[in-house]
Amino acid sequence: MSSSFEQMRANVGKLLRGIDRYNPENLATLERYVETQARENAYDLEANLAVLKLYQFNPAYFQTQVTSQILLKALTNLPHTDFTLCKCMIDQTHTSLEENRELIDGITGFEDSVRKFICHVVGITYQTIEHRLLAEMLGDPLDTQVKVWMNKYGWTENEEGQIFIFNQEESVKPKNIVEKIDFESVSSIMATSQ
């Protein structure tokens, strides 16, 4: 990340600490910061929530583009619940955002973040999966990304097109629980029960 972004992050951090957090005059700065997050592949939930809160207080200032960027950036932080938190702060009249490809293109690393989450879910859910199904889940109908993500996660494919994800039984780790009860604690219980 560039040093100008780090400077902007520090300035916004100062802005969010004080009473100016909900000053509508700071909305333009916070909106630029959201756009910078999208460009620089960075994420700042606290600042994004402040923008959404300002939109709640000042509905006339609502910006669909900025709100969409906030929601898309929140999706890149899955499996955390940021998306739900952000979505709950948006007025119901603004929740039906139309599909718009250029919004997604404006979020650096969005597709990879979503694919990473999909691979995480596949990794904890499946032991094997059909190549075709994984390609569909990754939104990769041309089959250009499946091999990349298979290599990244160490998954292998057999001749029948089945991808070996993980043997869940090998990942079960037993835990030995040792209870340490000394004689004094037991004897006091025994003495009260007689």
Side-chain angles (χ1 to χ4, degrees):
M1 281 182 244
S2 65
S3 61
S4 63
F5 174 77
E6 293 302 327
Q7 180 63 39
M8 188 175 213
R9 181 187 293 262
N11 291 341
V12 168
K14 289 177 192 169
L15 189 89
L16 295 176
R17 279 194 281 280
I19 189 121
D20 281 339
R21 175 185 200 96
Y22 300 120
N23 183 345
E25 292 175 8
N26 295 324
L27 195 52
T29 302
L30 292 170
E31 289 171 340
R32 276 195 310 277
Y33 185 53
V34 170
E35 291 168 4
T36 304
Q37 290 176 57
R39 237 185 358 266
E40 299 283 333
N41 197 17
Y43 184 64
D44 188 338
L45 176 63
E46 185 180 359
N48 296 347
L49 291 174
V51 171
L52 295 176
K53 183 58 84 174
L54 279 165
Y55 288 159
Q56 281 183 331
F57 291 153
N58 308 283
Y61 293 121
F62 183 84
Q63 296 289 323
T64 302
Q65 173 86 14
V66 174
T67 304
S68 298
Q69 288 178 324
I70 290 171
L71 290 172
L72 291 169
K73 287 303 292 181
L75 279 175
T76 65
N77 205 34
L78 288 170
H80 298 286
T81 59
D82 298 3
F83 178 78
T84 305
L85 182 60
C86 291
K87 191 170 179 273
C88 289
M89 293 184 70
I90 299 171
D91 187 276
Q92 292 299 322
T93 59
H94 300 297
T95 55
S96 58
L97 300 174
E98 296 178 20
E99 280 188 358
N100 203 343
R101 181 69 193 173
E102 63 265 8
L103 292 175
I104 294 173
D105 291 341
I107 306 292
T108 304
F110 175 78
E111 288 181 348
D112 282 344
S113 295
V114 172
R115 285 185 176 125
K116 180 180 176 184
F117 176 69
I118 291 168
C119 287
H120 166 75
V121 172
V122 166
I124 60 174
T125 307
Y126 290 88
Q127 290 185 12
T128 60
I129 188 170
E130 290 180 33
H131 184 102
R132 175 198 53 76
L133 180 58
L134 182 60
E136 185 180 320
M137 287 178 172
L138 293 175
D140 189 21
L142 301 177
D143 204 26
T144 57
Q145 292 287 315
V146 175
K147 294 267 189 243
V148 172
W149 289 96
M150 283 175 53
N151 290 336
K152 191 174 235 174
Y153 284 87
W155 300 341
T156 56
E157 184 173 5
N158 66 17
E159 303 82 40
E160 291 89 43
Q162 290 287 318
I163 299 172
F164 179 72
I165 303 294
F166 192 64
N167 187 345
Q168 303 292 344
E169 294 161 1
E170 291 177 4
S171 69
V172 175
K173 295 180 177 100
K175 185 171 186 171
N176 293 332
I177 300 173
V178 179
E179 294 185 29
K180 296 182 181 181
I181 303 174
D182 57 6
F183 181 73
E184 288 79 25
S185 63
V186 175
S187 64
S188 65
I189 295 171
M190 295 303 290
T192 57
S193 65
Q194 292 182 1

